[in-house]
Amino acid sequence: MDLFRIDKNDLNNLKDDIKNIYETEGAFIVENLLEINIFEEIIEDLIQICYEYDPRLYERYGSIKNNLEKANKCLLNIYSNKNESQSIIYDAMSRSVSLHRFAANRKIINVLEFILSKKILIHNRLILIMSMPNQGWHLARWHQDYYYNEGPKNTCTIYAPLQRISSHNGGLIIAKNSPLKGLLDHGDHSFDPPTKYHTINQDKINSFTETDKVKISMNPGDVLFMHSLCAHSAQINKSNDVRFVVNFRYQDITDKDFKSNNWQVGSIHHAKVALKREAKTNT
């Protein structure tokens, strides 16, 4: 069974339906919401960061015409030499002009206003996911975003791929109807390869029915909207290329608990401890 999918031209007619689906099933996909060329600025920023990190990359890959392929080559080269560069490149990209501009995209905001409210804040961590081939340490296995971000429980994650994604290159698995279960227990659990993330207890993962566990395929221009309590997992990227996905979170400013805390969240110490862990192996 697939997620609920909707064409961008049908949004206005189905706005009440998608709010209900969001709150119960936990996620839906708007197909063809964005023009593919919207990603060009992001890719260009990434390439320039890579060049600044290692100027030799311009000599090696500067002549490649396709920017996505160029970014892919740069990152594979950087990561093959310095494993710690993962966090360096991520942090630099999170402050890029292109991701900040993308976060305020009106087409995305319009959908968010259907499912949250007319008053929205953007979570300050803007992420371009760069999933390396056959690596797992930085891969977010079964979890709920709320565990790592808190804020309003109805906070929305958007997930917009820069290339075709499927199980082959590490697309998501989503547990439909999981928001109805509330926040699940997270902790250290075994995965092969291991992950730095705290994950949902294995018994809870096993309780998700095969019907409810949906493996996501998406095209560039499609956008996934996912509830903060929706359980999900990335899969291992079995391709030879980096998988690129824009990944942001949006908060409802009208949420009563969030407002009573002056729209702030706590230290979320448990999440920070997990995310700062370093790999003991090359995985």
Side-chain angles (χ1 to χ4, degrees), residues 200-213:
I200 295 170
N201 182 289
Q202 191 63 49
D203 289 340
K204 293 294 185 181
I205 297 172
N206 293 338
S207 73
F208 302 144
T209 68
E210 290 305 311
T211 301
D212 283 342
K213 286 194 288 189

Side-chain angles (χ1 to χ4, degrees), residues 28-42:
F28 62 89
I29 294 171
V30 181
E31 297 180 324
N32 306 307
L33 181 64
L34 306 174
E35 300 293 333
I36 297 176
N37 60 12
I38 196 173
F39 298 113
E40 279 301 316
E41 185 184 12
I42 295 173

